[in-house]
Amino acid sequence: MVATIEKMAVIPVAGYDSMLLNQAGAHEPFFTRNIVVMHDSEGVEGVGEVPGGEVITKRLESCIPLVEGASIAQWKNVVLSCRKMLENQMRGASGSGGQETAHAQIFKKVTNVLTGVETPMLDILGKHLEVPVAALLGEGQVRDSVRFLGYLFYIGDYRKTDMPYLHDDDTSDEWGRVRREPALTPDAIVHEAEAAQKRFGFHDFKLKGGVFAGSEEMEAVRALKARFPDARITIDPNGCWTLRESLELCRDMVGTLTYVEDPCGAEGRFSGREVMAEFHRLTGLPTATNMIDTDWREMKAAIRLDSVTIPLADPHFWTMEGSVRVAQLCHDLDLTWGVHSNNHFDISLAMVAQAAAAAPGVINACDTHYIWQDGQHLGRVAPHFEDGCLQVPRDGAGLGIDLDHDKLAAAHRLYVDNGCGTRDDARGMRFYIPGWSYDASLPAMVRP
């Protein structure tokens, strides 16, 4: 008798964040996620984690009637049914108007919801079969160790705000201290990288740009390369530089920048894919993106134009199976697969590690925000990085997360007690620049 899903629950949760700066503003004191918990007829539990926000919560809840009562063996058909239902819901829906951040646009995709259905079912199936989720994806598990990079941010001064940012919560080492303190100079970024490397063992680093003028951020990149000469280093300004500025900043950075993530975007009548193709051709630098190839139609165009060499196929935005399918495509076309990240708990970290363990060929070190949330895990056992890597044992079962329901309840209370919803990065920036509003063409700290 094949087990069936008896219960699906959607729990919106929150965790603490630092005042991390990005092109869309400053992270709020709390980040939000949606945790999906399923139980089958044999009492086996499966979990998944996707981006936060009430829209995704409600869409996940609308999937419950299609999930409950379904056979675990029918997980693909269940996901397909949810996709059709959600696409019908969204057909004809109007936009919100005004400028939206790239992430806000991606969060509207139904794949965020589908991943929240797919992952707990895969977790349960893996537990029944006594294999890791990686073994159920693509051609199966191809690696036991998954490499991650150190994701570095400029950090605002929370003391300039009246917002309840977490501080003095971890004095166990230098990383615990510096991740809550202001970091606004190249020296501070290097110190941040040193502290992260000491705790987690990272070999590669990514700097979130789009905060200061590009020339200033390049000084931080040069300082990182001088301190870590063997590291693969990149910068991500979220497409806010013009093509001309991108060329001026990056043309002479071959050997310093290993690749560049979304240096520029759409200009006039030219799409972001066309502009990125020009940048790639004129600089010779490999390009990564999570902005211009976020679905299969965009991916086809990006590949035809030679816009991107490292597609960042976040399993939350592609589904886990879709993310590995991108990896298979990259392997066949001599591209490099990578993963985008947003603030997340350890369930998402496990999802990324499992997808990466099933990704064939050469893969980039995976992005993760988890280092900024380290210590807030929802599983009973904290993730452990060794030499910048996470292990995915072949004798594991499911995702490898043993959910702590007390911690989950506490994260839900934090969400409710603080009235959390969709993150508003503009709010914190207004303490620095009164009246600040998002502009897709300008770094956060640069205003006319």
Side-chain angles (χ1 to χ4, degrees), residues 100-349:
E100 290 185 304
T101 67
H103 285 159
Q105 295 172 39
I106 294 171
F107 286 166
K108 290 183 175 181
K109 292 179 179 289
V110 299
T111 41
N112 292 284
V113 182
L114 298 177
T115 305
V117 173
E118 170 203 51
T119 304
M121 296 190 80
L122 283 171
D123 189 18
I124 291 174
L125 185 59
K127 288 173 179 175
H128 278 292
L129 298 175
E130 298 183 349
V131 297
V133 167
L136 305 174
L137 300 171
E139 299 167 24
Q141 185 169 350
V142 298
R143 61 177 57 80
D144 303 327
S145 181
V146 176
R147 184 163 166 168
F148 287 78
L149 54 76
Y151 201 162
L152 310 176
F153 282 78
Y154 291 103
I155 309 173
D157 187 350
Y158 67 88
R159 298 174 185 84
K160 294 182 181 293
T161 80
D162 60 6
M163 302 166 74
Y165 285 99
L166 188 66
H167 58 89
D168 303 322
D169 59 302
D170 179 3
T171 58
S172 62
D173 63 5
E174 189 64 4
W175 173 251
R177 188 189 70 79
V178 303
R179 66 175 166 166
R180 308 297 184 213
E181 293 298 316
L184 301 169
T185 66
D187 287 345
I189 293 296
V190 169
H191 184 51
E192 190 180 296
E194 291 172 335
Q197 186 188 59
K198 188 171 182 181
R199 179 181 286 198
F200 302 103
F202 296 127
H203 294 274
D204 305 319
F205 297 97
K206 168 180 169 177
L207 175 62
K208 175 59 79 174
V211 177
F212 297 105
S215 57
E216 185 173 343
E217 293 178 348
M218 282 304 177
E219 288 304 311
V221 168
R222 291 187 182 92
L224 282 170
K225 189 64 175 179
R227 175 61 183 82
F228 301 98
D230 297 326
R232 287 172 56 85
I233 293 174
T234 188
I235 186 170
D236 173 20
N238 283 118
C240 74
W241 300 338
T242 64
L243 174 61
R244 180 176 179 178
E245 183 181 13
S246 299
L247 294 173
E248 290 173 351
L249 290 170
C250 299
R251 188 175 266 141
D252 296 329
M253 295 294 282
V254 175
T256 299
L257 281 169
T258 309
Y259 61 102
V260 192
E261 181 178 340
D262 289 307
C264 43
E267 293 184 16
R269 66 185 189 277
F270 296 103
S271 70
R273 288 171 289 281
E274 290 172 301
V275 176
M276 282 270 283
E278 286 191 74
F279 172 87
H280 178 38
R281 184 169 59 254
L282 293 172
T283 63
L285 281 165
T287 54
T289 183
N290 72 290
M291 295 176 66
I292 64 168
D293 63 0
T294 63
D295 59 33
W296 287 107
R297 186 178 181 187
E298 292 176 357
M299 181 70 75
K300 286 189 295 183
I303 290 173
R304 287 166 177 162
L305 290 165
D306 196 21
S307 303
V308 58
T309 44
I310 309 174
L312 301 177
D314 187 331
H316 301 84
F317 298 155
W318 283 86
T319 73
M320 293 193 70
E321 190 174 43
S323 178
V324 175
R325 183 181 162 202
V326 173
Q328 293 172 310
L329 178 72
C330 289
H331 181 45
D332 291 338
L333 297 182
D334 300 321
L335 301 173
T336 300
W337 179 85
V339 174
H340 155 270
S341 169
N342 208 325
N343 295 89
H344 58 86
F345 288 103
D346 51 325
I347 300 171
S348 280
L349 184 65

